[in-house]
Amino acid sequence: MQQHKILMVLTSHDAMGDTGHQTGFWLEEFTTPYYAFKDAGASIVVASPKGGKAPIDPNSEAEDAQADSTRRFDEDAELQDMVNNTVKLSDINAYEYDAIFYPGGHGPLWDLAEDPTSRQLIETFYYQGKPVGAVCHGPAVFRHTRSDRDEPLVKGKRVTGFTNGEEAAVGLTEVVPFLVEDMLKENGGMYEKADDFTSFVVTDGNLVTGQNPVSSEACVNAVLALLK
């Protein structure tokens, strides 16, 4: 397998609305894909809208949220340094990469969903036929992306993402700026889902979306399958 170069994009947003609670990216949704790419021989660059330190959602560091990949991260000074010193998104050249991947966490609902640089990168990757992956709240990044016909990028495409039921289960329906499931449907996406908090991934062409945190492994494997 040739060495692919992967761009992973993390949120810079750390406030959960006006609740006083912190958010950010969900650790396992980043670490599991990161190590899958790395172990497949890829080189990875980690970027965020503001550059510098990307905030980890404190809830994703709780004991019941840990996985083999997060424990590996705890021992990985190099990756910790990458998270603390992300590349600024506006300094990224899409043409240097083979795929783009968006982990979730609630942070992206506030910044990456609205970020024009992120939107442009996604559109560039997509129209070059390169894999575009997003898991859980990561598909929030498709809120404003457009097709070459100036329609929503997800229109008519099979997609998934964090369900309304899952958002209700974590008690944040009234806190988040929008619901991922509703947004994807409103943009004309052919939204699909499995039971809440079970692994579910959809691939439509070079677009790969995962439903929730437990979908991160299957989601990255679907991206890797497109790279072979």
Side-chain angles (χ1 to χ4, degrees), residues 65-79:
Q66 299 316 295
D68 289 344
S69 68
T70 62
R71 286 184 277 270
R72 186 171 167 184
F73 173 78
D74 290 340
E75 306 296 321
D76 190 341
E78 181 185 7
L79 184 53

Side-chain angles (χ1 to χ4, degrees), residues 50-74:
K50 293 181 179 176
K53 186 173 183 175
I56 298 172
D57 187 312
N59 291 328
S60 70
E61 296 181 297
E63 187 54 42
D64 63 357
Q66 299 316 295
D68 289 344
S69 68
T70 62
R71 286 184 277 270
R72 186 171 167 184
F73 173 78
D74 290 340

Side-chain angles (χ1 to χ4, degrees), residues 2-216:
Q2 70 178 87
Q3 187 181 45
H4 289 104
K5 191 171 182 183
I6 312 294
L7 179 63
M8 296 189 74
V9 184
L10 298 177
T11 181
S12 295
H13 186 86
D14 66 358
M16 186 72 83
D18 53 10
T19 62
H21 294 293
Q22 288 181 291
T23 189
F25 69 91
W26 197 260
L27 186 59
E28 188 274 334
E29 292 173 29
F30 167 67
T31 55
T32 293
Y34 174 87
Y35 288 120
F37 286 133
K38 184 181 173 74
D39 294 345
S43 65
I44 304 120
V45 169
V46 183
S48 67
K50 293 181 179 176
K53 186 173 183 175
I56 298 172
D57 187 312
N59 291 328
S60 70
E61 296 181 297
E63 187 54 42
D64 63 357
Q66 299 316 295
D68 289 344
S69 68
T70 62
R71 286 184 277 270
R72 186 171 167 184
F73 173 78
D74 290 340
E75 306 296 321
D76 190 341
E78 181 185 7
L79 184 53
Q80 291 172 29
D81 187 62
M82 288 172 70
V83 169
N84 289 330
N85 296 279
T86 63
V87 177
K88 194 171 183 180
L89 211 50
S90 57
D91 292 336
I92 293 293
N93 178 356
Y95 295 92
E96 296 177 357
Y97 297 87
D98 299 298
I100 188 170
F101 192 91
Y102 286 83
H106 283 87
L109 295 172
W110 278 273
D111 65 350
L112 288 167
E114 308 300 329
D115 189 277
T117 305
S118 173
R119 169 183 163 179
Q120 190 172 25
L121 281 169
I122 292 167
E123 292 169 355
T124 302
F125 273 84
Y126 187 81
Y127 290 111
Q128 289 180 334
K130 296 174 179 177
V132 176
V135 65
C136 195
H137 288 89
V141 300
F142 302 120
R143 190 178 194 189
H144 299 300
T145 50
R146 308 294 287 180
S147 73
D148 52 1
R149 291 183 300 231
D150 199 32
E151 295 176 331
L153 185 66
V154 298
K155 184 177 179 181
K157 296 182 178 68
R158 297 174 59 228
V159 286
T160 191
F162 207 58
T163 71
N164 291 352
E166 288 166 334
E167 202 68 82
V170 297
L172 293 168
T173 303
E174 303 302 322
V175 174
V176 294
F178 62 93
L179 296 167
V180 174
E181 177 180 338
D182 285 354
M183 178 275 291
L184 291 171
K185 290 176 178 175
E186 287 162 7
N187 277 354
M190 296 164 59
Y191 182 84
E192 302 176 19
K193 61 184 175 183
D195 291 341
D196 287 355
F197 302 108
T198 58
S199 178
F200 183 69
V201 172
V202 174
T203 300
D204 191 327
N206 54 324
L207 188 66
V208 179
T209 47
Q211 180 176 316
N212 48 34
V214 296
S215 308
S216 59

